[in-house]
Amino acid sequence: MARPSMDRIDARAKVTGAARYSADHKLPGMVHGHLVTSTIARGRVVSMDLDAARAAGGVVEIYTPDHRPAFQGALTGLAAVFAETRPPLADREVHYHGQIVALVLAETVEQARDAAALIRVTYEAQPPNSSFEDAKEHAVSPPSVPGLPLGVPIKEPENVDIKAALAASEVTIERTYEIPPRHHSMMEPHAAVAVWQDGRLTIYSGTQGPAAHAMELSGVLGVEQADVHVISPYVGGGFGGKAFTWAPAMLAAAAARELGRPVKVVTGREQLFTVTGHRAASSQTFALGARRDGRLNAIEHATISQSLGEDPGYRTTPKYYAAPNVHISMKITPGLDLPTATIMRAPGDESGSFALECVMDELAEELGMDPIELRMRNYLESTLKGKLPYSSKHLDECYRVGAERFGWSRRGERPGAVTDGEWQVGMGMATAVLDAGRAPTTVRVAFRPNGTATVGNATSDAGTGMWTVMAMTGARALGLPADRIRPALGDSALPFAGSSDIYGAVGSAATATVTPAILTAAREAIAKLAEHAATAEGSPLRGADDVRYAEGRLTGGGKAVTFGELLTLTGTAEVGAQGTSADLDTTHAYASYAAHFCEVRVNRWTGEPLLSRFTTVVDAGAILNAKTARGQITGGVLFGLAAAMCEEGRVEGATGRISNANLADYLLPVNADTVEFDVHFLDHPDTRLSPTGARGIGELGTVGAAAAFANAVHNATGRRVRTLPITPDKLLA
Amino acid sequence: MEEQSQDDGVSRRGFLLTSAAAAALAATAENPRPAAAAATAAPAEVVEVALEVNGKARTLALDPRVTLLDALRERLDLTGTKKGCDRGQCGACTVHVDGRRVLSCLTLAAGLGGKAVTTVEGLAEGDRLHPVQRAFVACDGLQCGFCTPGQVMSAVALIEEGHAGSEAEIREYMSGNICRCGAYQQIVQAVRMAKEEA
């Protein structure tokens, strides 16, 4: 069966510059906002000299902690856990370097920017407590958050004595892995254009979840959710950083209300590192106990992180390998004078998979066993807790096919065995497991007189391909070519069911969530259309009792009409219906899988590790659009590799300042750092998860990629680097 | 509106004027249109710049602090060119000035008198996409699309520069444009496809 593949329908708008992102909107009378951020990490604002800024041309207003636009409430829902709960400009206290201390509003971008530079702030500074490294020894158990499993210890069995189990194992190893903070660094900075009319807010603000964004803004602004209209058809990358509402959007909305004028706030690149969230640093210690034959007897996984958002224990360890004794725990370091941590692509999964898949490699080495063989000996058939079977798991096939495609048999068993001139060549592999799921959601499908059909849901497409998958799924459900489907997303006024689906494109669940609801809504819409054909005045099929719909045509009573003709004849603007997908079958557990294979070349003299090959074999259910799915995997893999290759937020302990808060010093992979990835999809539709059979892939590539790289570096050089990123200094030391 | 005139035969010869100089020159044949004060705010100085943007003559009266990027986005409503960092570090704002790729966030508009600027909006001929644009669509050389205008402008230039000879060369010469979504291999494929068409 040929796998469906279609060009992105939003590609034309994106390659011509026609796609309008948040900051591309310009409204009559709009003023431009520029943020001023603190230059200390802890203390308070004593005074602010605003005279020069006020006197500068074009300045309309300056908001400060002493004169701020009104906020009536706080963030609600998950944002209260994963975003900054303290409103911007709340008071004079400074809790991190780069905290917003003023918002300058002026007639032009330049006037706002330059007036902001004229503001003089006097601080009473205290020594900051900004070092995660120092805080680790004072880490505490996190408070439990109702409804959230994060941070809660996991023990299997409940009365496990993990130390005794480890001690009773034939082989034990214990290793600690460190990952620095990372920043989403999506190419589009957070920006918002806000305008109020008759007590209602319209805000152009890039978000992964338009409905959640509306809910969160309504709470902060003290208005009804229905009175906040979020418009976000194009989002310049999210990766979790645009899942929740951050200060720039709040300030744009509140300032626009105070001023009675539209307000645009665009966050500066350096400011993004501090006024929006990041992935918290983490430190993980794994202790593994195993038999000589490779069977795991005990897994102890202890994590310390800045916040609950990065919980590798819960996310990772119960989902990879079978072991009779497991103990997972987490501590956090609250009260650090650091910017707020949030979720970032594969939160917990990325960090957890790095540590677990590295320690498994280390155990394989200890046992003198092939790393794939070690994994197969501990293959997990059902969930650790509750022993639920997995709906559709073909990870073994991923290993087998991946090893064959990659040429795993050519790997040198002994580290450092393979050289090519001055290059040491190594191969490594790692597993990726990512929980799959979906939320019930509501989609509206409607037929229109021009022969097109709309398919709408309040989800988002930040580059995932959702526009196209909605069109393809609508086409399949209605028996129409995809170019006659008009998808709609990125708008809080579109349908959603109101449960966790309000968060839109998060957790790699958007495709699995939205596509089954499209099938349901299409069935409802077809029923409505048939009824319309049989009853509406002007319908050629009126009175027929055998109306049928197929491929855009209705037949009945011996007559036939296209739906476009029908709606034209009956003078109807549209006929449509909403449909809500069924609840998830909870008798099974769901996950996506991949096996990653990586080859690196490390220069013997400079220590520079270069990526030279990468193969990944993916078991993610049905692939609905091979073209965009490939991009999700290649991009996801690179996102994960970047943690190993170069990415690192560097916090100066003494000042709390992020010393590399820009795109020249915060290193992201560029084109020359990468190679062509070999991506292979297994096609095993997961029809227990949903009728479309698609599981999530947005984060899957990211999971495990760093471990595959690190394991390859070890195979090349014999060096285990357990602190990311793997920079030449660590290989030369 | 700061934009004063377009498409009406204004000389394309570049000239920079302070407001005082504009007044002095107001009556001369060289400068038939003296700079007016900006509609809303009154910057200390106004610079008048005549340049060509996507084949059209434009004359702008600008605050001298205005970058080419902000001139395009805020004054000419050409928002296809993106502001990713405003520091010359990401490449999202790449445009062509007299056929050369430049970072518009690091280029002051006031210095561009007489120059010809091409943005992503200026590549297609009507509905017919430029070969590079077509190749980006066909090869899926984009995801979120925010870096795409800069990638496309760099790709057009590097093919014209003769720097699309091998995969390694393409990767090197495309490395000034960051794509956080990681569409690099699809971008390389697109450049190769477009080069073969060219």
Side-chain angles (χ1 to χ4, degrees):
Chain A
M1 190 182 84
R3 197 177 283 129
S5 184
M6 182 172 154
D7 290 349
R8 236 170 251 273
I9 61 175
D10 45 324
R12 189 182 179 96
K14 288 175 173 176
V15 300
T16 57
R20 288 209 180 238
Y21 297 73
S22 301
D24 300 340
H25 293 275
K26 186 175 186 177
L27 301 175
M30 186 176 81
V31 295
H32 295 263
H34 195 96
L35 302 172
V36 179
T37 54
S38 70
T39 54
I40 63 163
R42 180 189 181 96
R44 72 190 296 274
V45 174
V46 174
S47 65
M48 298 179 80
D49 180 355
L50 307 177
D51 292 348
R54 284 218 177 92
V59 172
V60 173
E61 180 62 283
I62 301 173
Y63 290 116
T64 67
D66 292 350
H67 170 58
R68 66 169 177 137
F71 294 109
Q72 280 76 19
L75 288 174
T76 51
L78 290 177
V81 183
F82 296 122
E84 187 168 8
T85 48
R86 192 167 167 274
L89 304 175
D91 52 41
R92 291 178 168 217
E93 301 299 315
V94 176
H95 297 281
Y96 57 88
H97 199 289
Q99 174 183 315
I100 298 170
V101 293
L103 170 68
V104 179
L105 294 142
E107 301 290 350
T108 71
V109 174
E110 295 76 22
Q111 289 167 341
R113 181 191 67 205
D114 288 12
L118 296 172
I119 292 176
R120 291 288 169 264
V121 185
T122 307
Y123 299 98
E124 191 179 280
Q126 295 166 12
N129 176 20
S130 296
S131 167
F132 173 68
E133 206 47 45
D134 295 346
K136 280 195 296 193
E137 59 185 293
H138 309 297
V140 297
S141 295
S144 74
V145 181
L148 265 193
L150 301 180
V152 180
I154 298 172
K155 295 177 187 178
E156 178 63 28
E158 272 310 318
N159 61 351
V160 66
D161 182 343
I162 199 69
K163 298 295 182 199
L166 286 165
S169 302
E170 291 173 7
V171 180
T172 57
I173 61 169
E174 182 177 315
R175 302 285 188 269
T176 297
Y177 301 88
E178 310 275 353
I179 305 180
R182 289 179 68 206
H183 296 266
H184 304 78
S185 307
M186 68 293 276
M187 298 314 296
E188 180 200 21
H190 289 60
V193 174
V195 59
W196 291 78
Q197 193 172 13
D198 304 326
R200 295 197 72 219
L201 169 67
T202 299
I203 186 162
Y204 302 89
S205 177
T207 176
Q208 295 171 239
H213 199 29
M215 176 188 77
E216 291 160 6
L217 283 167
S218 75
V220 168
L221 297 163
V223 298
E224 295 295 317
Q225 186 172 342
D227 288 334
V228 177
H229 186 193
V230 172
I231 301 175
S232 170
Y234 299 107
V235 185
F239 315 117
K242 290 175 185 160
F244 304 110
T245 301
W246 296 92
M250 294 184 207
L251 283 171
R257 181 163 63 178
E258 300 280 335
L259 295 176
R261 295 177 67 175
V263 168
K264 177 194 285 190
V265 174
V266 180
T267 317
R269 179 54 64 179
E270 295 85 342
Q271 296 170 345
L272 282 174
F273 283 76
T274 59
V275 310
T276 67
H278 66 280
R279 189 198 298 278
S282 60
S283 172
Q284 303 172 65
T285 300
F286 263 107
L288 300 182
R291 301 196 320 208
R292 278 267 157 230
D293 67 2
R295 291 291 298 276
L296 286 167
N297 178 49
I299 304 175
E300 182 182 24
H301 184 189
T303 298
I304 303 173
S305 181
Q306 182 194 344
S307 84
L308 267 188
E310 197 65 27
D311 179 357
Y314 168 77
R315 298 272 191 188
T316 303
T317 307
K319 297 157 192 174
Y320 280 64
Y321 303 111
N325 301 287
V326 178
H327 188 176
I328 299 166
S329 62
M330 182 186 196
K331 287 186 173 178
I332 60 170
T333 56
L336 284 178
D337 300 311
L338 288 174
T340 310
T342 188
I343 57 171
M344 181 165 147
R345 197 173 199 168
D349 292 289
E350 189 203 69
S351 49
S353 62
F354 167 67
L356 177 56
E357 288 301 281
C358 283
V359 79
M360 286 295 280
D361 202 68
E362 300 205 37
L363 179 63
E365 186 189 17
E366 182 79 23
L367 295 169
M369 184 176 286
D370 181 274
I372 297 175
E373 180 58 28
L374 176 63
R375 284 162 174 82
M376 284 306 300
R377 292 203 181 172
N378 295 285
Y379 202 74
L380 191 65
E381 301 283 1
S382 59
T383 58
L384 182 77
K385 287 277 178 193
K387 307 296 175 205
L388 284 181
Y390 284 100
S391 58
S392 170
K393 177 170 180 176
H394 304 274
L395 176 59
D396 48 351
E397 188 180 346
C398 293
Y399 292 139
R400 200 167 59 243
V401 173
E404 177 68 29
R405 291 177 76 91
F406 184 73
W408 181 250
S409 60
R410 297 197 303 273
R411 171 178 178 264
E413 263 182 52
R414 192 170 46 80
V418 180
T419 57
D420 177 13
E422 65 190 30
W423 297 92
Q424 298 174 295
V425 184
M427 296 185 193
M429 60 81 56
T431 310
V433 181
L434 185 74
D435 268 357
R438 62 177 179 83
T441 195
T442 301
V443 165
R444 186 162 198 278
V445 170
F447 296 97
R448 301 195 301 189
N450 64 2
T452 65
T454 60
V455 175
N457 177 265
T459 188
S460 161
D461 184 340
T464 57
M466 180 57 81
W467 282 108
T468 314
V469 160
M470 283 177 75
M472 294 171 79
T473 308
R476 178 175 134 194
L478 298 175
L480 296 173
D483 63 4
R484 286 172 62 191
I485 306 296
R486 299 286 177 270
L489 55 72
D491 188 319
S492 62
L494 288 165
F496 57 97
S499 58
S500 54
D501 70 326
I502 64 170
Y503 292 102
V506 295
S508 296
T511 295
T513 291
V514 175
T515 56
I518 294 175
L519 303 187
T520 309
R523 275 197 303 276
E524 303 283 335
I526 288 169
K528 276 271 175 63
L529 183 70
E531 185 190 325
H532 181 79
T535 58
E537 195 164 327
S539 165
L541 274 53
R542 194 174 187 201
D545 60 3
D546 60 343
V547 176
R548 295 178 100 75
Y549 171 94
E551 298 183 347
R553 287 163 60 84
L554 295 118
T555 53
K559 294 178 182 161
V561 65
T562 67
F563 73 80
E565 290 164 352
L566 171 69
L567 299 183
T568 304
L569 289 168
T570 62
T572 308
E574 63 163 45
V575 169
Q578 291 196 347
T580 301
S581 46
D583 285 339
L584 192 62
D585 170 358
T586 53
T587 63
H588 283 68
Y590 304 90
S592 287
Y593 305 91
H596 298 315
F597 295 83
C598 181
E599 182 191 84
V600 299
R601 296 163 68 83
V602 181
N603 189 281
R604 185 185 300 281
W605 311 119
T606 68
E608 186 181 21
L610 298 181
L611 176 68
S612 52
R613 284 194 307 129
F614 202 97
T615 288
T616 186
V617 178
V618 174
D619 169 31
I623 297 303
L624 301 186
N625 184 3
K627 188 166 264 189
T628 52
R630 185 165 299 273
Q632 284 289 87
I633 295 297
T634 55
V637 165
L638 189 62
F639 207 97
L641 283 173
M645 291 162 61
C646 52
E647 272 187 57
E648 174 180 23
R650 288 198 290 268
V651 179
E652 294 177 333
T655 64
R657 173 178 165 268
I658 300 172
S659 66
N660 60 344
N662 62 73
L663 294 182
D665 297 313
Y666 183 88
L667 299 181
L668 300 170
V670 297
N671 211 320
D673 295 322
T674 68
V675 293
E676 175 136 351
F677 299 154
D678 169 38
V679 178
H680 180 73
F681 292 106
L682 304 181
D683 262 327
H684 299 296
D686 193 340
T687 48
R688 196 179 290 276
L689 178 67
S690 89
T692 57
R695 290 195 299 255
I697 53 171
E699 298 162 294
L700 185 65
T702 301
V703 179
F709 187 92
N711 293 339
V713 167
H714 173 261
N715 183 244
T717 65
R719 288 171 182 267
R720 288 282 176 194
V721 179
R722 302 186 185 91
T723 300
L724 296 181
I726 304 173
T727 43
D729 52 307
K730 293 171 187 163
L731 293 171
L732 289 173
Chain B
M1 284 295 290
E2 291 172 89
E3 187 181 351
Q4 290 184 315
S5 64
Q6 59 189 64
D7 304 328
D8 56 0
V10 173
S11 164
R12 290 183 190 180
R13 196 163 67 82
F15 45 96
L16 298 177
L17 301 170
T18 63
S19 53
L25 281 170
T28 70
E30 285 292 314
N31 179 30
R33 290 172 185 276
T40 45
E45 294 178 299
V46 172
V47 180
E48 187 162 301
V49 187
L51 72 172
E52 191 185 292
V53 180
N54 295 335
K56 282 187 187 172
R58 301 278 199 166
T59 302
L60 299 173
L62 296 173
D63 183 327
R65 297 170 292 190
V66 173
T67 62
L68 172 58
L69 174 60
D70 288 327
L72 294 168
R73 293 180 51 80
E74 305 292 337
R75 278 77 181 178
L76 298 171
D77 199 31
L78 291 169
T79 55
T81 306
K82 301 303 183 200
K83 184 182 284 188
C85 70
D86 218 18
R87 294 289 184 275
Q89 298 168 343
C90 77
C93 70
T94 304
V95 300
H96 298 171
V97 173
D98 287 349
R100 248 184 72 232
R101 42 176 163 161
V102 303
L103 297 169
S104 61
C105 74
L106 294 186
T107 306
L108 287 171
L112 295 178
K115 307 278 191 192
V117 176
T118 305
T119 72
V120 72
E121 291 96 338
L123 291 180
E125 289 177 26
D127 280 346
R128 188 171 165 73
L129 296 182
H130 186 281
V132 169
Q133 292 173 313
R134 280 204 301 278
F136 268 68
V137 174
C139 299
D140 207 35
L142 66 145
Q143 289 180 34
C144 83
F146 199 80
C147 74
T148 309
Q151 301 278 0
V152 167
M153 296 310 288
S154 281
V156 169
L158 84 89
I159 292 170
E160 285 170 6
E161 291 158 11
H163 287 136
S166 65
E167 179 180 329
E169 195 180 25
I170 292 168
R171 286 190 183 276
E172 190 63 32
Y173 279 82
M174 288 298 289
S175 283
N177 294 82
I178 297 173
C179 173
R180 178 54 151 168
C181 297
Y184 293 128
Q185 76 186 55
Q186 293 85 349
I187 289 168
V188 171
Q189 288 158 6
V191 173
R192 298 191 90 142
M193 176 188 275
K195 189 212 168 200
E196 279 159 27
E197 272 190 42

